[in-house]
Amino acid sequence: MSKMFADCPICKASQKLEVTTKTEKIPYFGEIMESTLLCHECGYKHADTICVEKKEPVKYTLTVEKENLNARVVKSQSSTITIPEIGLKVEPGPQSQGYVSNVEGVLDRFEKAVKTALSWAEDEQVKKNAVIILEDIAKVKEGKKEVTLVVEDPFGHSIIMHENALKSELTEDEIKKLKTGFTTFESDELETDNQDPSED
Ligand SMILES: [Zn+2]
């Protein structure tokens, strides 16, 4: 673990930002680096997890049961997390962070996000849906509802660590549909490149 001080990007205080980095080797996965930023002046906090090694695109699927709620999950900045049965999906964006948690921790994060959405929602249908999702998440945690946790990462920096987690490769099409969290050039015209010109 190493510590250093830097200038805070938020309040601009000089040398008040404590930067802690820690590298950790995860079995069958490789080395990851966790970094934490904490400003002693304004309280700004940011945590991130970066995989140090280059990897192939990957997809992990796990049927969530009460017994595997503590299975470790490494989510990189570039990964998409989906629970299709409940209609939950988190895609990478400029604000996305990587983290190391477990299945229950992922559910907690979804729960928090839905609660935030619920507090802002004005539309009755949106509110109703949010309440149903929260009930579903609670059922999953109690082992009363079976769902699938899917983690897709075009850079292969994410993992669900459990013997029942199914690891598969991403198809070219699946990779194209994933967002990376980085700014990319998007154009409708580019999609026609996928078509085989010999087909008519
Ligand atoms: Zn600050």
Side-chain angles (χ1 to χ4, degrees):
M1 197 166 86
S2 75
K3 261 183 211 274
M4 58 170 272
F5 282 86
D7 296 348
C8 176
I10 306 301
C11 71
K12 314 287 179 203
S14 176
Q15 299 295 304
K16 289 283 185 187
L17 187 76
E18 185 179 336
V19 182
T20 312
T21 54
K22 193 173 80 177
T23 54
E24 189 183 355
K25 254 202 144 39
I26 294 187
Y28 314 110
F29 183 64
E31 201 166 35
I32 57 161
M33 189 175 83
E34 292 177 73
S35 63
T36 318
L37 308 179
L38 173 66
C39 176
H40 290 280
E41 191 66 32
C42 69
Y44 166 70
K45 250 184 177 176
H46 185 81
D48 210 350
T49 305
I50 306 160
C51 181
V52 183
E53 292 163 38
K54 193 185 174 292
K55 303 275 185 172
E56 294 300 312
V58 79
K59 176 179 181 175
Y60 282 90
T61 310
L62 176 71
T63 303
V64 179
E65 290 163 353
K66 216 176 170 189
E67 289 72 30
N68 58 31
L69 284 175
N70 61 355
R72 207 167 185 197
V73 178
V74 179
K75 181 215 173 279
S76 84
Q77 247 182 321
S78 56
S79 71
T80 297
I81 296 194
T82 323
I83 303 179
E85 292 87 348
I86 314 183
L88 287 175
K89 185 177 200 175
V90 171
E91 291 181 309
Q95 297 295 322
S96 18
Q97 297 179 4
Y99 58 81
V100 181
S101 186
N102 57 23
V103 174
E104 189 165 17
V106 173
L107 291 170
D108 286 343
R109 281 167 189 264
F110 271 123
E111 198 171 18
K112 210 175 145 194
V114 175
K115 278 183 180 161
T116 306
L118 182 62
S119 68
W120 285 92
E122 285 173 5
D123 186 278
E124 281 308 314
Q125 194 55 46
V126 173
K127 283 185 188 174
K128 257 184 213 167
N129 289 345
V131 170
I132 293 170
I133 292 171
L134 289 175
E135 286 170 358
D136 280 345
I137 293 175
K139 281 183 205 160
V140 174
K141 285 184 181 173
E142 289 163 21
K144 289 177 183 160
K145 185 178 174 71
E146 206 177 81
V147 294
T148 323
L149 178 66
V150 184
V151 177
E152 293 166 291
D153 189 345
F155 300 115
H157 293 168
S158 302
I159 186 173
I160 303 176
M161 288 189 68
H162 194 272
E163 53 182 6
N164 295 340
L166 189 76
K167 183 185 177 184
S168 52
E169 283 173 20
L170 285 166
T171 65
E172 285 294 321
D173 269 358
E174 283 176 318
I175 293 168
K176 278 185 189 133
K177 280 181 197 144
L178 289 175
K179 293 183 178 164
T180 58
F182 300 104
T183 311
T184 49
F185 184 72
E186 279 177 47
S187 161
D188 288 342
E189 284 169 30
L190 284 176
E191 293 193 359
T192 56
D193 291 349
N194 299 337
Q195 286 167 3
D196 185 348
S198 63
E199 261 176 29
D200 215 342

